[in-house]
């Protein structure tokens, strides 16, 4: 392994130049417009393959205490934390046929948790469950979602295969009117939105997709009826098939080794290689993870959050490639910055980054036998420009005689799809099956980007209000003009690689708000002064990541090469401090968002 000291200024300068060249040849003028949503003529790609029979039921016109939009871990946590604090009637609504959110949809072969299961799976302390693997298979995670729903009795009022179409504040009822595509129009005193950030599958806008006459689907809608097998392999239906997979992100890296084993021929169409670090999955016992006392899972995930947030921790309980790469994760973390004189910061960071990426490129060389293929698989960008991935099988798959890597960087991706397959440059690849591992639209689900219209007091539209005045909130959860609406998500809030931890803190906060409002017969609504004060906090010394994203290879982290939106949108002092801030605020100041209900 190369040491950080070996990175002289000249070498770093040459590396920087190489990164820029690789980035520049990938940036497309159409940016995020290059993608298509899986709707209208491509709606087939978003249809639910997992519901055995279409759901039929009469529309609902009743009243519940809380409606939660979204039945993934965010919605489940909100429902569970609210029920822990009172016997409220909670109705969770989801487009999928069951709970699980991303784990309901993503059942592709090889799907696994990328974060250690013992910190990723929520409510292990409360449910008594201890995951069996360091990185759980998707099915274990999906079943844990079901376990949480059963444990907190969330099935009773749940609505599945149902899309919320609008949320309207009804001043007379002092409640929200929730309408859905199934004709439901029911009231909920409180609404929690937990619609996720990466939930709508997207397709590349490659000309001719609709002309392909073989079989095709998106990885988040895996067609086991066609492939045979399960998440664990055995796809006998592919034994005589030529399969193409487009995309080599976190999904592609997990699915490729499985397809390689079962397909007659596999073509992996790559535009930008992922960085693929050591996985090291293994069976774990309760003893290994210290699951021998109350609160063990909370302690473990707090420890993980501290480390990946650059805060001090006496010990590293998870000890994996996320924690060992922590200093490179948030470009760079407060601890890294605190230890570095301003002038030394860049070179210290760059040297550490160069060493890490060199280690990952060396990993390719050491595994992939064909030199040309190995060169194409090497990632030439800084760590975490793209979502880091982990696998001990991905690179080895390219040593199989039935697997071909097709690099499409020079043509900005695949040029066209025909009736028979895929065209890249001068070569046509004939395929029986074309699989899109092309990811998800970013930031457009639920009430984001107005997909679900939200009309608050006096009919004021949330989306319009944001367009007119910018996003306004207190802590990201509540906004003036939108009583009893609690939003979960990253806006004005915190984020972390272990996103379920963030969601749990948000759910705890949502439950406390509901409990306080119920106890005082109040509605939850911050004043504009509170919002102004929160916006001022957000503007305080937020780390400037623009320079990092501006130099990164394009992807959804940097709006396809255009840098981050030029707005401050997260709490500037990190997730650990944010959670402390919320705890203190709940203890001392929660009353400031409560105002009397209007009656009569
Ligand atoms: P991504 O958006 O990360 O990857 C999409 C892939 O499709 C990229 O390789 C992209 O290339 C490629 N692509 C897009 N358009 C074209 C084109 N025209 N021609 C060729 N290739 C194209 O989606 P994923 O589903 O892989 O991952 C999304 C997110 O979901 C992850 O970042 C992660 O947050 C999460 N995830 C988590 C997992 C876990 O924890 N277990 C597992 C899987 C996903 P390019 O890079 O050049 O744009």
């Amino acid at each position: 392994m190369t040491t950080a000291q070996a990175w002289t200024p000249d070498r770093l300068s040459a590396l920087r130049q190489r990164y820029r060249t690789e980035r520049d040849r990938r940036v497309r003028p159409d940016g995020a417009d290059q993608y298509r949503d899986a709707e209208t003529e491509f709606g087939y790609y978003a249809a639910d393959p997992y519901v055995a029979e279409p759901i039929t039921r009469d529309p609902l016109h009743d009243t519940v205490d809380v409606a939660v939009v979204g039945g993934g871990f965010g919605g489940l946590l909100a429902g569970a934390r609210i029920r822990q604090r009172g016997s409220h009637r909670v109705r969770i609504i989801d487009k999928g046929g069951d709970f699980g959110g991303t784990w309901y949809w993503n059942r592709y072969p090889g799907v696994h948790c990328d974060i250690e299961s013992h910190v990723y799976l929520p409510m292990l302390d409360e449910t008594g469950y201890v995951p069996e693997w360091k990185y759980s298979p998707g099915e274990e995670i999906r079943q844990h979602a079901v376990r949480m729903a059963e444990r907190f009795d969330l099935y009773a009022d749940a609505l599945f295969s149902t899309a919320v179409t609008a949320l309207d504040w009804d001043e007379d009822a002092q409640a929200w009117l929730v309408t859905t595509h199934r004709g439901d129009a029911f009231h909920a005193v409180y609404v929690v939105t937990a619609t996720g950030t990466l939930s709508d599958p997207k397709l590349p806008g490659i000309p001719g997709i609709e002309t392909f006459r073989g079989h095709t689907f998106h990885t988040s809608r895996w067609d086991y009826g066609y492939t045979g097998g399960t998440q664990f392999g055995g796809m006998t239906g592919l034994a005589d098939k030529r399969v193409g997979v487009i995309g080599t992100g976190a999904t592609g890296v997990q699915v490729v080794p499985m397809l390689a084993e079962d397909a007659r021929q596999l073509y992996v169409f790559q535009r930008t290689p992922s960085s693929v670090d050591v996985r090291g999955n293994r069976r774990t016992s309760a003893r290994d993870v210290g699951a021998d006392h109350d609160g063990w899972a909370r302690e473990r995930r707090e420890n993980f959050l501290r480390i990946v947030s650059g805060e001090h921790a006496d010990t590293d309980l998870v000890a994996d490639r996320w924690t060992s790469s922590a200093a490179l994760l948030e470009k760079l973390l407060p601890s890294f910055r605190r230890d570095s004189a301003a002038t030394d910061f860049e070179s210290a960071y760059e040297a550490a980054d160069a060493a890490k990426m060199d280690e990952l490129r060396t990993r390719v060389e050491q595994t992939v036998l064909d030199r040309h293929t190995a060169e194409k698989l090497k990632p030439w960008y800084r760590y975490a420009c793209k979502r880091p991935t982990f696998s001990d099988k991905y690179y080895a798959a390219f040593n199989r005689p039935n697997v071909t890597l097709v690099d499409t960087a020079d043509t900005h991706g695949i040029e066209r799809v025909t009736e028979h397959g895929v065209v890249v440059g001068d070569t046509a690849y004939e395929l029986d099956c074309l699989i899109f591992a092309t990811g998800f639209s970013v930031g457009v689900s639920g009430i984001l980007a107005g997909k679900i219209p939200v009309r608050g007091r006096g009919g004021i539209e949330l989306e319009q209000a944001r367009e007119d005045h910018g996003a306004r909130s207190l802590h990201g959860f509540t906004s003036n003009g939108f009583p009893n609406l609690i939003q979960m998500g990253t806006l004005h809030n915190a984020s972390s690689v272990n996103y379920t931890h963030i969601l749990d803190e948000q759910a705890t906060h949502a439950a406390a708000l509901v409990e306080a409002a119920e106890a005082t017969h109040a509605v939850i609504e911050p004043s504009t002064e509170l919002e102004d004060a929160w916006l001022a906090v957000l503007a305080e010394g937020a780390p400037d990541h623009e320079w990092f994203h501006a130099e990164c290879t394009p992807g959804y982290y940097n709006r396809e090469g255009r840098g981050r939106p030029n707005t401050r949108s997260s709490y500037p002092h990190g997730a650990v401090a944010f959670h402390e801030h919320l705890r203190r605020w709940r203890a001392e100041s929660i009353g400031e968002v409560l105002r009397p209900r209007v009656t009569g």
Side-chain angles (χ1 to χ4, degrees):
M1 194 180 115
T2 318
T3 60
Q5 285 78 4
W7 289 95
T8 59
D10 283 352
R11 282 190 71 201
L12 285 174
S13 167
L15 188 65
R16 210 178 299 144
Q17 190 49 50
R18 170 91 198 244
Y19 286 177
R20 282 198 191 122
T21 307
E22 292 289 340
R23 171 195 182 276
D24 290 349
R25 75 190 184 105
R26 287 185 166 82
V27 174
R28 291 171 46 136
D30 48 359
D33 293 340
Q34 66 183 283
Y35 297 109
R36 286 178 183 167
D37 292 333
E39 52 189 35
T40 58
E41 77 263 41
F42 296 109
Y44 150 81
Y45 286 95
D48 187 345
Y50 313 123
V51 173
E53 282 182 29
I55 292 174
T56 52
R57 60 172 177 81
D58 293 330
L60 296 173
H61 300 283
D62 57 352
T63 298
V64 294
D65 298 312
V66 186
V68 180
V69 188
F73 277 132
L76 279 166
L77 280 159
R81 295 290 179 211
I82 288 169
R83 289 184 75 91
Q84 273 185 321
R85 288 171 177 246
S87 56
H88 302 296
R89 199 166 160 206
V90 177
R91 175 170 292 153
I92 300 184
I93 309 116
D94 199 283
K95 287 194 247 182
D98 201 343
F99 288 112
T102 197
W103 302 101
Y104 173 85
W105 295 111
N106 285 283
R107 304 189 194 193
Y108 56 83
V111 58
H112 274 74
C113 191
D114 252 2
I115 306 288
E116 197 207 59
S117 337
H118 307 91
V119 298
Y120 180 82
L121 268 63
M123 296 193 116
L124 295 180
D125 292 313
E126 292 82 350
T127 57
Y129 184 68
V130 182
E132 294 171 11
W133 290 87
K134 192 161 175 74
Y135 305 96
S136 292
E139 184 56 15
E140 185 183 357
I141 305 172
R142 194 184 70 75
Q143 284 175 13
H144 185 65
V146 170
R147 179 179 298 113
M148 283 171 60
E150 287 171 344
R151 165 79 174 70
F152 292 95
D153 197 19
L154 295 168
Y155 274 104
D157 278 301
L159 298 182
F160 295 121
S161 302
T162 301
V164 171
T165 47
L167 298 169
D168 286 273
W169 176 249
D170 180 340
E171 188 71 12
D172 294 335
Q174 291 284 286
W176 287 91
L177 179 68
V178 181
T179 48
T180 78
H181 88 296
R182 290 184 178 276
D184 305 302
F186 61 87
H187 280 93
V189 181
Y190 307 93
V191 168
V192 180
T193 57
T195 46
T197 51
L198 288 171
S199 51
D200 296 352
K202 74 178 182 332
L203 302 175
I206 302 169
I209 290 180
E210 65 285 356
T211 66
F212 181 62
R213 286 171 49 183
H215 201 69
T216 175
F217 52 89
H218 189 274
T219 44
S220 66
R221 305 290 189 273
W222 197 269
D223 188 352
Y224 284 105
Y226 175 81
T227 64
T230 68
Q231 285 177 27
F232 304 98
M235 292 178 281
T236 50
L238 299 183
D240 58 350
K241 300 290 191 301
R242 298 159 301 178
V243 178
V245 60
I246 303 179
T248 55
T251 301
V253 165
Q254 293 189 337
V255 85
V256 160
M258 307 300 283
L259 289 170
E261 270 181 35
D262 291 340
R264 185 182 112 206
Q265 175 66 42
L266 178 66
Y267 296 100
V268 180
F269 296 99
Q270 168 189 279
R271 193 167 62 179
T272 312
S274 276
S275 68
V276 188
D277 209 336
V278 172
R279 168 79 303 166
N281 202 6
R282 59 178 185 272
R283 278 202 179 271
T284 48
S285 67
R287 200 167 154 209
D288 294 338
V289 295
D292 56 3
H293 60 283
D294 284 347
W296 70 271
R298 184 173 38 76
E299 287 163 21
R300 196 172 177 90
R301 70 180 188 182
E302 289 289 351
N303 174 263
F304 183 79
L305 184 70
R306 290 196 74 80
I307 293 172
V308 296
S309 306
E311 305 289 338
H312 173 75
D314 289 332
T315 174
D316 177 0
L317 295 173
V318 170
D320 70 357
R321 293 294 164 129
W322 284 113
T323 58
S324 69
S325 307
L328 296 172
L329 274 178
E330 292 298 325
K331 309 108 206 172
L332 268 187
L333 297 162
S335 57
F336 202 105
R337 292 193 164 194
R338 277 197 295 267
D339 293 346
S340 323
T343 45
D344 293 341
F345 165 72
E346 196 168 336
S347 58
Y349 159 62
E350 279 198 304
D353 184 75
K356 177 71 198 175
M357 291 306 289
D358 217 35
E359 174 195 323
L360 294 174
R361 287 187 287 267
T362 304
R363 192 168 185 239
V364 184
E365 268 172 28
Q366 288 173 343
T367 319
V368 179
L369 301 174
D370 177 71
R371 288 289 113 217
H372 177 74
T373 304
E375 284 308 310
K376 296 290 180 194
L377 284 166
K378 286 183 184 173
W380 289 102
Y381 44 80
R382 289 180 178 165
Y383 191 72
C385 264
K386 287 201 166 290
R387 167 68 144 74
T389 74
F390 309 86
S391 174
D392 298 333
K393 298 178 183 163
Y394 180 69
Y395 289 138
F398 293 95
N399 292 335
R400 299 178 64 112
N402 65 327
V403 178
T404 306
L405 179 74
V406 183
D407 188 65
T408 69
D410 289 335
T411 50
H412 289 295
I414 290 164
E415 286 173 287
R416 64 181 195 281
V417 176
T418 66
E419 279 179 36
H420 305 293
V422 155
V423 178
V424 179
D426 298 334
T427 313
Y429 297 87
E430 295 217 344
L431 301 171
D432 302 301
C433 178
L434 180 57
I435 300 170
F436 290 91
T438 44
F440 304 88
S441 301
V442 181
V444 298
S445 57
I447 65 171
L448 297 166
K451 276 231 167 161
I452 301 176
V454 181
R455 290 174 282 263
R457 254 189 306 110
I460 171 177
E461 295 203 3
L462 183 64
E463 179 69 2
Q464 190 60 47
R466 285 186 176 166
E467 256 174 48
D468 293 345
H469 309 294
R472 296 177 58 80
S473 80
L474 176 63
H475 304 141
F477 294 103
T478 53
S479 297
N480 182 263
F482 301 88
N484 288 357
L485 176 71
I486 304 171
Q487 301 167 57
M488 296 172 71
T490 53
L491 179 75
H492 295 178
N493 207 288
S495 195
S496 166
V497 291
N498 188 17
Y499 195 54
T500 55
H501 185 167
I502 301 292
L503 291 173
D504 199 4
E505 297 287 342
Q506 295 185 352
T508 300
H509 194 75
L513 287 170
V514 169
E515 185 183 41
E518 285 294 291
T520 53
H521 301 285
V523 293
I524 307 159
E525 187 181 357
S527 63
T528 54
E529 290 76 18
L530 283 173
E531 290 180 330
D532 286 339
W534 186 242
L535 291 177
V537 169
L538 297 177
E540 271 170 20
D544 177 12
H545 292 163
E546 298 284 320
W547 62 271
F548 175 85
H549 288 287
E551 292 185 4
C552 268
T553 189
Y556 78 87
Y557 277 9
N558 68 353
R559 295 193 303 148
E560 303 300 330
R562 282 158 196 207
R564 278 263 167 100
N566 193 20
T567 51
R568 304 270 182 240
S569 65
S570 323
Y571 184 67
H573 310 298
V576 175
F578 182 65
H579 296 159
E580 278 164 19
H581 177 85
L582 288 184
R583 274 192 279 276
R584 217 172 28 250
W585 181 85
R586 288 199 294 269
E588 295 167 7
S589 310
I590 197 165
E592 66 189 23
V593 291
L594 304 175
R595 62 166 180 76
R597 281 181 199 166
V598 179
T599 47

